[in-house]
Amino acid sequence: MAGFRPVSDVLAYLAGGWRVERSVRDLASGASGTFGGTTVFERLDGDDSGAHPHPGSRSGLLHHESGTFVWQGVARPAERTLRFLPGDGAGRARVQFADGRPFHDLDLTSGRYVADHPCSADLYRGEFTVYDADRWRTVWRVGGPAKDLVLTTDYTRSY
C-alpha cells in the first residue's frame, strides 16, 4: 500500500533520537491534551552480545521518552521508558515495559503493524506506520469500561 515503508531491521531503524508530538483525545468526555518532547533509542546497558556493536543492529534498545504533557491547559513533565528487544527476525522486536513485563510485539517488515495489549478490563490497540527513513507514527486506541481514548504520536528523526 502506498505510504508505508518496509523496515528490514527494526532496531537499526529506531536507533537514535526522535522528536515526538502526541495528541490525546478522550472520546467520552471530549477532553484533549498534547505531549511534546523527545524519544531516544539507545543500546541497552549490560547488553554485551558483541555481535553487532553499533546501536540498534541486533542488540536491544532502551527507549526513553521525556517532555511536557498538557492536559486541559495544565502542563506537567512526563516520561516513560520501554525496552525493545530483538524479535524473530531483524524486522521484528519484542517490546517490554521498563520492569520487564511484556507490552507487545512489533513487526515492521511491511511498514505497518497492529498490536494489541490487554490491560485489566481495557484493550490497547496500537497501529504502527512507517512513512520513510525519518518519520513514523503510532495510533493507540484505548477502550474499556472507563476509557475511550485515542493517542496519536508522530516521530521525526532528530539524529
Side-chain angles (χ1 to χ4, degrees):
M1 183 170 190
F4 299 158
R5 178 183 186 261
V7 173
S8 61
D9 188 333
V10 67
L11 298 177
Y13 175 78
L14 294 172
W18 301 83
R19 286 188 311 277
V20 178
E21 295 180 17
R22 177 175 301 125
S23 66
V24 181
R25 292 183 298 134
D26 184 325
L27 301 177
S29 72
S32 64
T34 60
F35 173 86
T38 60
T39 293
V40 176
F41 288 89
E42 58 190 1
R43 187 174 165 153
L44 275 167
D45 287 339
D47 184 343
D48 58 2
S49 63
H52 296 80
H54 63 77
S57 72
R58 291 311 294 153
S59 62
L61 297 174
L62 185 68
H63 159 283
H64 183 76
E65 178 179 277
S66 61
T68 302
F69 181 54
V70 179
W71 184 252
Q72 295 184 297
V74 178
R76 298 183 176 94
E79 63 182 320
R80 72 174 175 165
T81 301
L82 300 170
R83 299 182 335 172
F84 283 64
L85 303 175
D88 182 23
R92 297 175 178 90
R94 294 177 296 117
V95 182
Q96 298 178 341
F97 293 103
D99 64 7
R101 288 177 297 127
F103 187 12
H104 62 83
D105 289 335
L106 182 61
D107 180 348
L108 294 179
T109 55
S110 72
R112 181 180 177 276
Y113 186 72
V114 176
D116 286 345
H117 173 73
C119 182
S120 297
D122 301 323
L123 177 64
Y124 288 66
R125 172 161 286 159
E127 180 178 338
F128 299 77
T129 306
V130 177
Y131 296 115
D132 57 38
D134 298 319
R135 293 182 309 122
W136 60 290
R137 168 181 276 186
T138 64
V139 178
W140 283 98
R141 176 67 197 254
V142 184
K147 293 181 183 174
D148 193 6
L149 304 171
V150 176
L151 297 86
T152 303
T153 307
D154 288 303
Y155 296 84
T156 305
R157 189 177 301 281
S158 59
Y159 65 88

